[in-house]
């Protein structure tokens, strides 16, 4: 149980004007791991200070600079690391969302230019009645963005040499898209193709590798260094050992 003690700006007054001490105690029953920090084996780290000592200042600066623009990516990714009690389906959805968020924030990969897309929207919306025009416009807000399938293919292609050792691109992309769509939309037609259990766990491990490779890139690691580091990661080793 966690106990937090805070101070309010003013004394707390009850309904009958009786004033109480302004100290506030909040008791919270934590469901996460114990707060005591245990030893962390360097072999389970993506890299240690010794690995990056020569460029540590640059790495810290880039991490802090990226912390705002990639805040949602960090939050989604780390939530899967530090909440081991999370259901596998939720972990999978968080990792997929992290990849979508990363790709959206770092890559300008619209299907058409803004001008061309606006023209296309105007042409489409001009063909429907006024009654349905507003509804259609809302539905088409993100219609110029790539699909999850396109995002996954694009990122996979960036790290194809590393990822090909873990999975086959087409199969992996299909599995992720079908599983995501089933868990989000519960489309019965996708029930059989949606992955579960050990297969879903392996997909999550590959998604983690993709996110870690992407974050390495943001920190300035080239692909050869990224490959060396990622092959030491838990996720990579877990997949290779299955």
């Amino acid at each position: 149980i966690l106990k937090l003690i805070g101070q309010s700006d003013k004394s707390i007054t009850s309904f009958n004007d009786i004033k109480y001490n302004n100290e506030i105690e909040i008791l919270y029953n934590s469901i996460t791991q114990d707060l005591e920090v245990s030893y962390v084996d360097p072999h389970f780290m993506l890299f240690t200070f010794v690995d990056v000592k020569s460029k540590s200042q640059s790495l810290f600066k880039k991490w802090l600079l990226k912390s705002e623009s990639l805040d949602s990516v960090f939050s989604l990714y780390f939530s899967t690391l530090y909440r081991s009690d999370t259901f596998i389906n939720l972990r999978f959805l968080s990792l997929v969302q992290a990849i979508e968020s990363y790709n959206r924030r770092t890559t300008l990969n619209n299907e058409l230019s803004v001008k061309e897309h606006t023209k296309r929207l105007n042409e489409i919306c001009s063909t429907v009645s006024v009654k349905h025009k507003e509804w259609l416009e809302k539905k088409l807000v993100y219609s110029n963005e790539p699909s999850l399938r396109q995002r996954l293919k694009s990122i996979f292609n960036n790290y194809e040499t590393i990822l090909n050792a873990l999975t086959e691109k087409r199969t992996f992309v299909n599995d992720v898209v079908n599983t995501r769509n089933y868990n989000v939309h519960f489309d019965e037609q996708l029930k059989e193709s949606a992955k579960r259990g050990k297969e879903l766990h392996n997909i999550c491990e590959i998604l983690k590798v993709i996110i870690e490779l992407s974050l390495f890139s943001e920190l300035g690691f080239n692909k050869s260094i990224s490959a060396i580091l990622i092959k030491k990661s838990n996720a990579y080793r877990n997949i290779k050992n299955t």
Side-chain angles (χ1 to χ4, degrees):
I1 295 178
L2 302 179
K3 181 179 180 181
L4 305 178
I5 300 178
Q7 299 285 332
S8 64
D9 293 336
K10 299 179 181 180
S11 295
I12 301 175
T13 305
S14 70
F15 290 110
N16 57 1
D17 293 330
I18 299 176
K19 294 184 178 180
Y20 297 92
N21 191 295
N22 66 345
E23 184 175 275
I24 302 172
E25 292 186 2
I26 302 173
L27 300 181
Y28 174 69
N29 186 16
S30 174
I31 61 173
T32 58
Q33 294 91 341
D34 294 335
L35 293 178
E36 182 179 350
V37 178
S38 58
Y39 172 74
V40 180
D41 191 332
H43 290 93
F44 291 96
M45 299 179 184
L46 286 173
F47 56 84
T48 64
F49 180 73
V50 174
D51 297 321
V52 298
K53 185 176 181 180
S54 62
K55 57 188 305 183
S56 59
Q57 288 189 343
S58 172
L59 289 176
F60 288 135
K61 286 180 180 179
K62 287 183 178 180
W63 183 263
L64 293 174
L65 287 172
K66 299 291 182 179
S67 64
E68 183 173 349
S69 61
L70 298 178
D71 57 342
S72 65
V73 182
F74 290 174
S75 297
L76 290 163
Y77 168 67
F78 286 119
S79 71
T80 67
L81 295 185
Y82 299 122
R83 289 300 303 270
S84 58
D85 56 340
T86 302
F87 288 113
I88 185 68
N89 285 0
L90 295 179
R91 186 153 60 95
F92 165 76
L93 291 175
S94 292
L95 291 168
V96 171
Q97 189 178 350
I99 288 176
E100 287 187 294
S101 180
Y102 174 79
N103 185 255
R104 180 178 289 114
R105 293 177 182 228
T106 60
T107 308
L108 184 61
N109 52 2
N110 291 335
E111 294 181 349
L112 297 176
S113 67
V114 174
K115 183 178 180 179
E116 290 175 314
H117 180 58
T118 301
K119 181 181 178 182
R120 179 171 63 178
L121 288 180
N122 291 335
E123 290 176 354
I124 294 172
C125 293
S126 65
T127 63
V128 300
S129 65
V130 176
K131 179 181 179 181
H132 302 302
K133 186 175 181 179
E134 183 179 354
W135 172 85
L136 182 60
E137 288 175 341
K138 290 179 180 179
K139 289 291 184 180
L140 296 176
V141 168
Y142 299 106
S143 59
N144 198 33
E145 291 194 7
S147 64
L148 172 61
R149 184 180 301 276
Q150 291 170 315
R151 294 186 193 279
L152 287 170
K153 286 181 178 179
S154 175
I155 296 178
F156 197 105
N157 290 339
N158 287 337
Y159 307 104
E160 198 161 12
T161 302
I162 302 172
L163 296 176
N164 277 339
L166 302 178
T167 185
E168 193 273 323
K169 180 173 70 174
R170 183 177 179 181
T171 300
F172 173 73
V173 171
N174 285 336
D175 288 344
V176 172
V177 172
N178 290 338
T179 305
R180 193 286 299 267
N181 289 344
Y182 174 72
N183 280 280
V184 172
H185 305 295
F186 294 102
D187 185 345
E188 285 297 320
Q189 294 181 341
L190 297 175
K191 186 174 183 179
E192 293 302 319
S193 57
K195 300 305 176 182
R196 301 170 181 81
K198 184 177 180 180
E199 287 183 312
L200 184 55
H201 171 76
N202 287 341
I203 288 175
C204 286
E205 295 297 282
I206 297 173
L207 291 172
K208 280 174 60 179
V209 167
I210 291 175
I211 294 171
E212 288 162 359
L213 286 169
S214 300
L215 294 180
F216 283 162
S217 175
E218 294 300 314
L219 291 176
F221 291 114
N222 60 41
K223 290 185 178 180
S224 60
I225 297 298
S226 295
I228 294 172
L229 295 177
I230 207 67
K231 287 177 181 179
K232 298 192 301 180
S233 70
N234 283 341
Y236 188 94
R237 287 181 295 184
N238 287 342
I239 303 164
K240 292 293 288 184
N241 291 332
T242 56

